[in-house]
Amino acid sequence: QLNMAKKKEAFLKEFKEGPLQFKPTYKFDLYSEVYDTSEKKRKPAWTDRILWKVKNVCEVASKEGEFPEEEHLISVTLNNYSSHMSYGISDHKPVTGTFRLEMKPLLSDPLVMLNPEGEWSADHDVFVRYSAVPDYPSSAWDWIGLFQVNFRHVNDYVTYSWVEDDEFSSDTDSKQIYMSASEIPAMGGEFLLCYYSNNLQSIVGISEPFQV
């Protein structure tokens, strides 16, 4: 039924689905793996499905369900598509899909270069030197954050400094800001610095990892 609808409905034609390599997930007697034994005896069906669509300029998918990286900013690959028969609270069995998502950067080169200066520890204030490419659209709301190397989101910073409010020195080639010793983690470890652009709403520069 879904495949027939995909042939008729234009908006469904753009959606992809992985191969159905699990048995129908509907309709079961509650708390069992037995198909409908009621008077209606409904035929088993693949009722619960997972479809996906990537909004790119070109959307030609390979047979494996992967969008070619050279033609797309986003590459999606379906890693697993399966049902879970152990759940019995509903007459449907749940279905899950796991995907790998890869995004090509819009800019291959950083807009801001960052370098931690001197030895970093919680014993004293520390300094960051940075420089931006010509015509970089800076903002008073730009900030530089200290992150653990395994951070996953821009809000995962340990501490941060505003590039204007915490500026320590500047010259024609670069600027220097400071971070207070009270904000530096005493336990130490491996960290990196990220420059967040308020105008671009994204991280536009990342330092090499360094030790605190």
Side-chain angles (χ1 to χ4, degrees):
Q1 186 179 10
L2 176 61
N3 290 333
M4 288 189 292
K6 287 175 68 177
K7 293 178 181 179
K8 295 180 180 179
E9 302 292 342
F11 78 96
L12 281 175
K13 291 180 180 178
E14 299 176 348
F15 282 84
K16 317 299 176 186
E17 183 183 22
L20 291 170
Q21 296 178 338
F22 48 87
K23 65 183 183 179
T25 56
Y26 175 84
K27 175 183 189 304
F28 288 89
D29 292 340
L30 293 181
Y31 305 104
S32 77
E33 295 185 19
V34 178
Y35 287 110
D36 189 15
T37 58
S38 70
E39 292 181 358
K40 293 184 178 180
K41 295 190 183 301
R42 293 177 177 85
K43 292 182 179 179
W46 285 276
T47 305
D48 302 276
R49 311 284 279 272
I50 296 175
L51 309 180
W52 78 90
K53 176 181 182 296
V54 177
K55 288 187 177 181
N56 282 318
V57 176
C58 179
E59 295 190 21
V60 179
S62 67
K63 293 182 180 180
E64 293 77 23
E66 183 172 359
F67 293 90
E69 290 186 357
E70 66 273 14
E71 298 181 359
H72 298 274
L73 294 176
I74 299 177
S75 172
V76 175
T77 304
L78 177 66
N79 288 338
N80 180 267
Y81 186 27
S82 59
S83 62
H84 302 272
M85 293 295 167
S86 61
Y87 291 86
I89 195 171
S90 169
D91 54 5
H92 295 251
K93 299 299 183 182
V95 173
T96 60
T98 57
F99 296 81
R100 185 177 76 245
L101 174 63
E102 297 181 29
M103 291 177 285
K104 292 176 65 177
L106 295 177
L107 299 171
S108 57
D109 297 321
L111 298 180
V112 177
M113 282 61 71
L114 297 157
N115 289 294
E117 293 199 319
E119 179 181 324
W120 277 53
S121 75
D123 297 331
H124 54 78
D125 291 349
V126 293
F127 297 90
V128 180
R129 184 167 293 278
Y130 73 94
S131 59
V133 298
D135 301 322
Y136 166 70
S138 62
S139 164
W141 298 103
D142 287 0
W143 52 271
I144 295 174
L146 179 67
F147 293 80
Q148 293 184 315
V149 292
N150 60 347
F151 82 99
R152 302 182 65 179
H153 191 275
V154 68
N155 291 335
D156 292 342
Y157 55 81
V158 176
T159 184
Y160 67 91
S161 293
W162 299 106
V163 295
E164 289 196 7
D165 290 350
D166 298 311
E167 185 177 305
F168 183 75
S169 68
S170 66
D171 54 43
T172 56
D173 296 322
S174 64
K175 295 183 178 182
Q176 188 184 50
I177 66 166
Y178 74 93
M179 291 185 178
S180 172
S182 63
E183 302 295 332
I184 304 303
M187 76 289 191
E190 193 173 24
F191 293 83
L192 46 77
L193 296 165
C194 295
Y195 188 107
Y196 184 83
S197 167
N198 183 67
N199 286 331
L200 299 177
Q201 292 290 293
S202 65
I203 291 174
V204 296
I206 301 178
S207 74
E208 292 294 327
F210 62 96
Q211 291 292 322
V212 172

